[in-house]
Every structure is written in structure tokens, then in C-alpha cells.
Amino acid sequence: MPTVYLLDYVAGNVRSLANAIEKLGYTTECIKKPQDVERAESLILPGVGHFGHCMTQFSRGGYLEPIRRHIESGKPFMGICVGLQTLFEGSAENSSVPGLAIIPGRLTRFGDKDKSVPHIGWNSAATSRGGETQSKSLYGLRDSSKYYYVHSYAVPYEEGLLERNGWTVATADYGRERFVGAIGRDNIFATQFHPEKSGSAGLKVLKAFLGGQALEALSSVLRNDTTQGLTRRVIACLDVRANDQGDLVVTKGDHYDVREQGGVTGGGQVRNLGKPVDLARKYYEHGSDEITFLNITSFRNYPLADLPMLEILRRTSENVFVPLTIGGGIRDTVDLDGTRVPALEVATMYFKSGADKVSIGSDAVMVAEEYLKNEKRLSGMTAIETISAAYGNQAVVVSIDPKRVYVTSPSETSHHTIKTKHLGPLGEKYCWYQCTVKGGREGRDIDVRQLVTAVEAMGAGEILLNCIDKDGSKSGFDLELINDVKSSIKIPIIASSGAGNPTHFEEVFKQTSTDAALGAGMVRLIPDLLLFLTYQETLQFHRGEYSVKDVKDHLSQTGFLVRHFEGDM
């Protein structure tokens, strides 16, 4: 197989793209200097982050003219995400920086009055329009498939405009906005979505491009508009820590306690649910839309370059082609040799190892407190700000661990309160949500609204909203918390903590406007082979455990749009 060349300009997770291409039987090589572009037969330009930053990097590195010459020569060229955006004339993200202007049009920001921004999740890339049949496939695209998008800016689609210039266009809908999801002509192909993160559907697209299969005739299939648009995401979360023998295992807590009954003082062992890489692959094979690893061990005695979580990401990304998030330890730190390492460098190590997003927890609470103390002035130096500036806000997730504090009246506290249907221990009708640090062990004088608005201002792109009161309860999500947070910010929210059965996912999507829901302890990977038993009482209720497919089937049957797993190629 020929070599595929990737233009690596520190664009984020290039490793996953290389893994996907190598999975298809090709070899990959990263281009590190402009003169190497000339020897590339097939060139792929990946990218995440800020349009202006990426174009400036190309210009300073001397890549713009070599890229133009490659395209003009007729050699195969593919752009992914920001790689697609660079082909257009410019973007509202930075109107002073021009694009390559190979394709007419400019990018605009999605409106956020009726939806979250960034646009994160699985959406369509349809070459047919409503009521038509799909008679041809552009590089393996199928109207019925779903692909993974993560972006705030897009090229608005105008019927026939690009087609009159010879371009074949696949579109996606987000809210009431239709935009360019993929585009191709002659030797050029570009996708706004990430094929390397789109499961088997995305691998088929890469295979078609690398094989030169631009257009493929299909049996006519009537497009069904009810299958178009953004799906509801179901995310698997793996809490990873070292057990008492020093082995890395996936565990799960009951109100954040990961030991069996009795705890460490009572001889209780860390709950061992399996090996992280193996479980991640099984979750992927059973239809999880994303995988999140939360590192709950500090690994203080390891050099940063040898952190065990880096190896877990490397191995997972070799066979798992959906987005991977890593949380824990994303902060300014000092290596064992005394070298100071900023959070941006720590995040870069994780991105290069296969992560698509990093999750920041306790440190986000601390910097939010400073932000409020300094009259909401940004420092530009926090982990959230530096990482989002380099990789885009979609790469930064803030994980929040709030708990209820009941009061008899809102006047009892300066914090934002809600009137709750779930009364307190003394019949209190009001509560506020206190943010915690150190795995929920320490409460801080900051409420959840203060925190989420602060981190949104700093550049976070998504909130992982946990709930200490609901953790391990299997009683359903805290809908009041989710609605309260959702009403205060524009960025997407992942609802977490409390899921016990598929109806809880239906409930959270019906009664809140959450963008995704996360399940951990309730999920069964393989019937009668492996159960996620989160605490001792679960043993007698094992028949109530559910698979990812069970959850998605239930959501589909109750009218929600979900991504159904596509089998191996």
C-alpha cells in the first residue's frame, strides 16, 4: 500500500487519524517541513481549533504555496474539519485572515438562540435533499449514516451555488441551519466532520478517498428527513485508578466511594470492573458515541512522559474510532526532575497520544474563584484559556461535582437557589448547588451557576455535569440541576450521575435540553458475561443491568434520533 502523508502542524489528535488510515492497510508519514509536501502523492490536512490560528501557522511555516501546488497538480488532497475551512475564502472566526479561496464562500458562526454552540456530536452528511433519492455516493458517504462533528463555524449551504461550479456537496442540519458537511471536486475532497472519529462509517469514507472512489452509483434509496440532524449522544465513562495491587483498573463509586462496603479501613477492596483498554473497545463495539476516561489516581511518582494514562490512550486509539476524552491531572505541574510543565504541554501530550478532549475538574473551581474575586477579569494564563486558545474550545471539557445544600429560604444564602420538588431532610423547599473539589471531599464557597458561567467565559466548550447526591443511586438524573445549568450557558452539557435504566435517558432528554447523557455503572457490555455492578446491592438486581444498545433502542422507540452502530467494514 502507498504512503499517505499527513500535514502535522500541531493540530491536535493526529495519532487517531494515522491509526485509522493504518487500520485500512496504508502507511502514514507526517510532513514536518514545507519541502516535504512535494513528495506526497496523497495529502491529508487535518485540523482542530481556531481558523485564524491555523492559517497563520501555515503561513509562518511556509506551507501555503506547497499546498496550493499539490492541489493544482491534480494529486489527491483531503481536508478535515479546519482543513475543510481553510479551502474557503475566509471565516468570521477571524475575518482579517484569508483562507486559500479554492472554494467560494465564507464561514459564519452558528446561532445560539435555539441551540448549543459548539455543534458537537453525530450528524448527517447527505448528498440528496429532502424528498429526493440518493443515487450516488461521494467518497463512501451514506445519507443514512452518522458522522462526528465538533465545530462552532460552518459554511452555510445555498441550494445550487457550489454545484454550479462543479462541486458535489453533502449537507447537515443543525437546528434550522443547513451547512456544508462535505464537499468534493476532481482531486479535492474535504469533510467538516472527523472521519477518523466516526466509527465504521468514517473508515468507509477514508477508504473510498484513499482508493480514489470519488463517486459510486447506488441503488436509489429515498431520503427520510426524520433521520437527519443531530443525534442524542450516549457516552460511556470509565473511572480509572490503581487498585491495591498497583494494577490499573476501571472502577465505579457509590457516592464517590470506589471501595466495596467497609471501605479501606474495613478491608474493602477497590471495585475492579476490568481493564481500561479492553472495556473501552467493548463499549465502542456496542455503540457508545464517545468514551471518557477519568483518571482518579494521581501517579505522582511517574515522569510526565511515562504516565500510564498516555499508554492507555495510545492503545485505545488503535482500535476505537470514536471521540476519546481524558480527565485528571490536566494542570500546571512540576515533573520529577524539577521541570515546570504548563497545563498546555500536559494537554498536548494527551492529544498526541490519542485524546480528542481533555477534562478539567478541581482546578476549574479554583480558577473560577479567582476569576470572580478579580471582578470577572480573564488572566489568559489558566489551563482552560491556554488550551482552548491553542486547540479550540471544543477540546476543553470542565467536569463539575456539585451537591445540594438545602435552605428554608433563598434569603439564607448569597448563592443562586432553586425551588425544589425534592424536599430537604427538614422539609426545606429550596437548595443551592455547592461545587466541590478533591473528588467531592471538599466543598467550596461557589455555586454551580457561578462556576459554569466563569468557565464558559474562559473558553470551555462543554460541561460534564455530575451530581454527588445522585452518584450510584440509579434513581435517575438530577433534572432540576441540569435545567438550571442549561438555562445559564450556551455551551453543550453532558448529563451524568444517577442513570439506572433506559427510561432515565428518555426522561433526561424529554425533560431537559441536555446535549448528551453519560452512563457508567448501569451498563452491561456483554449479556451474561460482564456486568457493571456498581455496589454490593446491585448483585441481587443484575437482571436490571442494560447495554448501550438497550439504551439506544429504547430512545429510538420513544422518538429520539440516535446513532445506530454500523458493523465492521
Side-chain angles (χ1 to χ4, degrees):
M1 287 286 192
T3 298
V4 180
Y5 290 83
L6 311 178
L7 184 52
D8 182 8
Y9 59 99
V10 193
N13 184 4
V14 176
R15 173 179 287 271
S16 288
L17 178 58
N19 287 340
I21 293 169
E22 290 166 8
K23 183 80 171 179
L24 298 172
Y26 294 81
T27 58
T28 62
E29 185 173 330
C30 286
I31 290 174
K32 299 293 186 179
K33 50 187 184 293
Q35 51 267 41
D36 291 342
V37 175
E38 187 175 352
R39 61 191 176 93
E41 183 59 33
S42 293
L43 177 64
I44 298 182
L45 176 60
V48 298
H50 192 280
F51 173 88
H53 174 75
C54 292
M55 289 303 302
T56 301
Q57 290 283 95
F58 293 151
S59 180
R60 289 176 179 170
Y63 286 106
L64 293 182
E65 287 311 310
I67 291 173
R68 288 184 189 278
R69 288 196 297 268
H70 177 94
I71 293 173
E72 291 168 358
S73 73
K75 294 179 180 179
F77 174 87
M78 182 177 184
I80 296 174
C81 195
V82 177
L84 171 144
Q85 297 179 6
T86 62
L87 297 175
F88 286 84
E89 295 169 300
S91 172
E93 191 168 18
N94 191 329
S95 57
S96 65
V97 178
L100 292 169
I102 292 169
I103 309 175
R106 300 182 65 86
L107 290 98
T108 60
R109 191 176 191 274
F110 285 117
D112 60 12
K113 289 184 178 180
D114 62 341
K115 57 187 180 295
S116 299
V117 178
H119 168 230
I120 298 179
W122 297 77
N123 208 326
S124 306
T127 53
S128 65
R129 308 296 173 245
E132 298 178 353
T133 58
Q134 183 186 15
S135 59
K136 59 184 178 181
S137 169
L138 174 65
Y139 287 109
L141 292 172
R142 296 291 190 274
D143 287 4
S144 58
S145 293
K146 294 293 180 180
Y147 306 94
Y148 183 75
Y149 293 83
V150 53
H151 59 122
S152 298
Y153 294 80
V155 180
Y157 176 71
E158 296 182 40
E159 187 80 40
L161 180 64
L162 292 166
E163 288 87 345
R164 285 193 290 272
N165 289 309
W167 296 96
T168 300
V169 183
T171 62
D173 297 331
Y174 187 38
R176 292 188 290 270
E177 298 182 72
R178 177 162 292 180
F179 65 93
V180 174
I183 189 167
R185 188 182 74 180
D186 300 329
N187 61 311
I188 302 171
F189 177 52
T191 64
Q192 181 61 71
F193 62 84
H194 287 268
E196 77 280 12
K197 289 294 167 182
S198 299
S200 293
L203 293 179
K204 292 171 186 175
V205 172
L206 286 172
K207 182 178 181 181
F209 169 74
L210 297 173
Q213 300 170 316
L215 292 173
E216 175 189 359
L218 298 176
S219 301
S220 293
V221 179
L222 183 65
R223 168 176 163 144
N224 181 356
D225 279 321
T226 62
T227 66
Q228 304 304 306
L230 188 66
T231 67
R232 307 291 182 148
R233 282 181 288 157
V234 177
I235 300 173
C237 180
L238 307 180
D239 291 344
V240 180
R241 66 156 289 164
N243 64 11
D244 297 321
Q245 291 72 45
D247 301 317
L248 283 184
V249 299
V250 175
T251 188
K252 188 69 186 77
D254 175 13
H255 298 284
Y256 286 39
D257 180 5
V258 299
R259 292 184 178 274
E260 300 293 357
Q261 286 188 355
V264 64
T265 57
Q269 296 292 306
V270 172
R271 297 184 186 92
N272 182 351
L273 303 178
K275 297 179 179 180
V277 176
D278 294 342
L279 294 186
R281 182 169 183 175
K282 287 171 181 173
Y283 266 124
Y284 165 64
E285 292 171 348
H286 286 77
S288 288
D289 293 321
E290 298 182 27
I291 308 290
T292 295
F293 292 106
L294 294 183
N295 164 24
I296 57 176
T297 297
S298 62
F299 300 120
R300 291 188 182 90
N301 297 322
Y302 285 85
L304 284 174
D306 296 328
L307 284 174
M309 293 305 297
L310 295 175
E311 182 61 20
I312 286 176
L313 283 169
R314 293 185 194 109
R315 291 174 54 203
T316 301
S317 66
E318 291 174 358
N319 293 290
V320 174
F321 300 106
V322 295
L324 302 176
T325 300
I326 176 71
I330 313 297
R331 62 172 69 93
D332 295 341
T333 189
V334 178
D335 212 343
L336 290 184
D337 62 1
T339 303
R340 291 189 174 277
V341 183
L344 177 58
E345 288 188 26
V346 176
T348 297
M349 286 194 292
Y350 283 118
F351 290 135
K352 286 184 175 181
S353 298
D356 301 283
K357 299 184 260 188
V358 293
S359 178
I360 300 173
S362 294
D363 280 20
V365 179
M366 301 307 186
V367 297
E369 289 177 344
E370 284 298 309
Y371 169 78
L372 295 172
K373 181 180 177 181
N374 294 324
E375 299 179 340
K376 300 185 178 181
R377 288 193 297 269
L378 297 173
S379 71
M381 301 299 293
T382 66
I384 297 171
E385 291 169 272
T386 56
I387 297 169
S388 63
Y391 293 101
N393 64 347
Q394 78 290 330
V396 181
V397 180
V398 170
S399 179
I400 300 175
D401 299 321
K403 65 179 180 180
R404 288 184 172 223
V405 177
Y406 284 97
V407 292
T408 57
S409 168
S411 62
E412 289 184 18
T413 178
S414 61
H415 293 291
H416 169 77
T417 61
I418 64 167
K419 188 172 183 179
T420 177
K421 296 178 181 178
H422 309 287
L423 302 184
L426 301 177
E428 298 96 334
K429 296 180 180 179
Y430 298 91
C431 72
W432 64 279
Y433 287 93
Q434 181 185 37
C435 295
T436 68
V437 297
K438 300 179 181 178
R441 296 188 300 275
E442 179 184 320
R444 304 292 295 185
D445 188 24
I446 181 172
D447 63 57
V448 70
R449 272 209 176 194
Q450 290 174 310
L451 179 57
V452 295
T453 53
V455 298
E456 182 181 43
M458 292 176 195
E462 201 166 23
I463 299 295
L464 174 54
L465 186 57
N466 305 296
C467 179
I468 292 177
D469 308 284
K470 285 287 190 174
D471 185 62
S473 69
K474 297 197 173 191
S475 61
F477 298 93
D478 190 329
L479 305 180
E480 292 178 333
L481 169 64
I482 295 164
N483 278 323
D484 188 46
V485 171
K486 189 65 180 171
S487 67
S488 65
I489 55 175
K490 297 294 185 182
I491 58 178
I493 286 177
I494 302 169
S496 179
S497 303
N501 59 64
T503 61
H504 290 147
F505 286 81
E506 175 193 358
E507 182 181 64
V508 75
F509 286 129
K510 273 186 177 178
Q511 298 186 37
T512 79
S513 55
T514 188
D515 302 273
L518 182 147
M522 66 160 279
V523 181
R524 183 190 69 225
L525 291 173
I526 302 176
D528 303 320
L529 178 59
L530 178 63
L531 301 179
F532 259 31
L533 305 176
T534 59
Y535 47 97
Q536 190 70 29
E537 289 83 358
T538 308
L539 293 174
Q540 59 182 311
F541 300 118
H542 65 89
R543 293 186 184 275
E545 300 294 331
Y546 302 91
S547 69
V548 174
K549 185 177 183 301
D550 291 334
V551 173
K552 287 193 166 184
D553 284 348
H554 179 82
L555 288 173
S556 182
Q557 291 164 8
T558 52
F560 292 100
L561 184 60
V562 296
R563 176 187 74 102
H564 292 288
F565 180 71
E566 295 187 27
D568 290 337
M569 296 181 57

